[in-house]
Amino acid sequence: MKNNYKNILGILGLSLMSYSALAQTEFNKFEDLDNVSTISVNKKMFDMMSNVKIDTSNKENQAYLNLIKKLETLKVYSTKNSALSSEMKTAAENFVTAKTFDNLMTVTDKGAKVKIYVNPGATASNIKQLLMFSDGSGQTETVILMLTGNFSLDEISAITDKMNLPGGSALKKASNQ
């Protein structure tokens, strides 16, 4: 009987790992395309960034360092190509539906519609995953930004501002509400 439980738990664990890997590959198809710009930062890089010497007496710098320690991955995909924009929109919609993300907010600004989705973390104020999709509809860039870790929305607006990432202003608006 114990072995059956171990087998079931093992199969369940492998299934969950496979599901997680499949979710990551949903957007990976955009990484090698000529008309898509990508940024991909993993946990190792965040660990290295947290060791950089900066003035920690500055509250903004300290908040930035605290957040970096909480992040696992950051991926950004952007394009101005209308066909790829459509594919990116479909991929983002499929991803948030399959992973049951909550639509935190939608902002329309300068012809771009920005949707911010979250997958809640351990507490009500924490976020495990954040996906931001900015649909430029041919007028501006289409952007997918995906963050994983254990963080708050306030912390994320600080890093997107500091790293000058696309969509940072929409995240700042979301954190101020």
Side-chain angles (χ1 to χ4, degrees):
M1 189 79 151
K2 276 188 177 180
N3 284 340
N4 284 343
Y5 285 121
K6 285 181 183 180
N7 288 340
I8 291 170
L9 288 175
I11 291 169
L12 182 62
L14 287 173
S15 299
L16 291 173
M17 287 174 26
S18 300
Y19 180 73
S20 175
L22 285 173
Q24 293 303 317
T25 60
E26 178 116 17
F27 300 117
N28 288 351
K29 65 184 175 186
F30 299 114
E31 287 183 1
D32 295 325
L33 300 178
D34 290 337
N35 293 322
V36 177
S37 298
T38 60
I39 299 170
S40 184
V41 181
N42 62 25
K43 180 71 174 156
K44 182 71 172 169
M45 183 62 176
F46 285 124
D47 289 342
M48 291 170 59
M49 289 170 68
S50 70
N51 292 321
V52 172
K53 301 272 188 233
I54 62 171
D55 178 17
T56 54
S57 64
N58 177 318
K59 286 184 180 183
E60 186 178 294
N61 287 346
Q62 186 62 48
Y64 177 69
L65 278 176
N66 290 340
L67 172 63
I68 284 177
K69 292 175 184 176
K70 296 177 180 181
L71 294 178
E72 294 173 13
T73 61
L74 163 74
K75 292 192 177 205
V76 181
Y77 306 93
S78 63
T79 188
K80 291 182 180 179
N81 180 293
S82 60
L84 288 171
S85 292
S86 179
E87 280 187 52
M88 289 170 79
K89 181 177 183 177
T90 300
E93 289 170 349
N94 290 342
F95 184 78
V96 297
T97 301
K99 297 282 259 177
T100 61
F101 275 64
D102 296 326
N103 185 341
L104 185 65
M105 72 180 298
T106 302
V107 177
T108 302
D109 188 26
K110 298 177 185 172
K113 183 182 270 188
V114 179
K115 293 183 178 185
I116 300 172
Y117 300 91
V118 295
N119 194 345
T123 66
S125 63
N126 281 10
I127 298 169
K128 182 171 45 176
Q129 286 183 302
L130 179 139
L131 183 131
M132 184 194 72
F133 177 74
S134 174
D135 183 4
S137 298
Q139 298 173 19
T140 59
E141 240 177 337
T142 295
V143 178
I144 295 173
L145 179 141
M146 172 70 94
L147 282 166
T148 59
N150 187 19
F151 48 87
S152 73
L153 198 55
D154 289 336
E155 292 171 318
I156 290 305
S157 68
I159 195 170
T160 55
D161 187 44
K162 191 110 172 143
M163 294 177 75
N164 198 24
L165 293 172
S169 61
L171 286 171
K172 192 169 202 119
K173 285 179 187 177
S175 71
N176 290 331
Q177 291 189 0

